[in-house]
Amino acid sequence: MYFIFLLSFAIFLFFLQFYSYLKCKNAVTHFADQFVSMTFLKLKNFLGVNLRSYFPFPAGFGQTPAIVMFASPSCDICHFELENILAQKRKADFSIPILCFVEREDRNYDNFIQEFSNQLPLIPADKETLVELQISSFPSLFIIDSNGVIRYPGHFFKEILSVLQDRRKMARYRIQ
């Protein structure tokens, strides 16, 4: 009888904990999203930085705003995000220029260049420049204006794209 009571109590506690988890799951996810957002608030010091003073831009960049991604060749998320961006570009056929700065000292640099060089402009970025720009997490996404000035740090490609497709948001962030 005592064993049945303990087993029933343990099952009750298990389901109580599971119910609590389900109730708190959204709050935990929201907290994680907020934490990521707070982390990206640190990127606000990037606003106004002119990337043209750090990197040579390919011909044709500068007439319109562009999406910039900083990537590390060893970063699986960078590969995934870049493939996602290229798939969205093909699927939606949007004409927003995309530029990817690639960490040059990475051991997988040559493979990364081979994989993506025919799909978008890749610009090598040395560690010293990345440190100076305080790029410490990959991928890092930004919107630059037609002059190469960072106007918006983004979390995800969809967010970046939504800013570029909304005239009010573009005006708010002074993207021209």
Side-chain angles (χ1 to χ4, degrees):
M1 183 75 163
Y2 182 71
F3 177 73
I4 293 174
F5 172 74
L6 283 178
L7 183 62
S8 299
F9 187 66
I11 291 172
F12 170 75
L13 288 176
F14 171 78
F15 282 108
L16 185 64
Q17 187 172 14
F18 185 67
Y19 174 77
S20 173
Y21 163 75
L22 291 177
K23 284 297 213 181
C24 294
K25 186 171 119 178
N26 290 338
V28 169
T29 302
H30 178 71
F31 173 75
D33 290 343
Q34 293 301 316
F35 181 75
V36 168
S37 295
M38 290 172 62
T39 302
F40 272 88
L41 285 176
K42 293 179 182 178
L43 294 177
K44 293 290 186 187
N45 64 346
F46 289 116
L47 296 179
V49 171
N50 190 337
L51 292 178
R52 287 185 184 275
S53 60
Y54 292 92
F55 301 102
F57 275 51
F61 272 84
Q63 289 79 23
T64 62
I67 297 171
V68 170
M69 177 179 170
F70 284 88
S72 174
S74 295
C75 169
D76 291 335
I77 297 171
C78 294
H79 283 261
F80 176 77
E81 190 69 22
L82 200 50
E83 288 168 0
N84 180 36
I85 290 170
L86 293 170
Q88 289 291 328
K89 185 170 182 160
R90 284 188 296 269
K91 181 179 171 185
D93 195 34
F94 61 84
S95 60
I96 301 166
I98 301 170
L99 189 59
C100 184
F101 296 98
V102 184
E103 183 182 17
R104 184 187 340 207
E105 287 85 6
D106 191 284
R107 68 183 181 280
N108 295 326
Y109 176 78
D110 293 329
N111 294 337
F112 191 88
I113 296 296
Q114 269 185 320
E115 183 177 351
F116 293 109
S117 65
N118 61 345
Q119 299 178 53
L120 76 157
L122 300 175
I123 298 178
D126 58 58
K127 280 205 184 284
E128 294 81 27
T129 305
L130 294 173
V131 168
E132 189 175 333
L133 289 170
Q134 299 176 13
I135 304 289
S136 58
S137 64
F138 299 102
S140 292
L141 294 165
F142 301 97
I143 297 174
I144 58 171
D145 66 13
S146 57
N147 298 315
V149 177
I150 295 175
R151 294 295 177 191
Y152 185 83
H155 306 163
F156 306 102
F157 175 68
K158 285 184 179 183
E159 173 195 359
I160 293 276
L161 194 56
S162 74
V163 170
L164 288 171
Q165 293 173 337
D166 186 332
R167 291 188 186 275
R168 292 177 301 190
K169 289 180 182 176
M170 286 183 65
R172 182 180 341 147
Y173 297 110
R174 298 187 323 256
I175 301 169
Q176 74 272 6

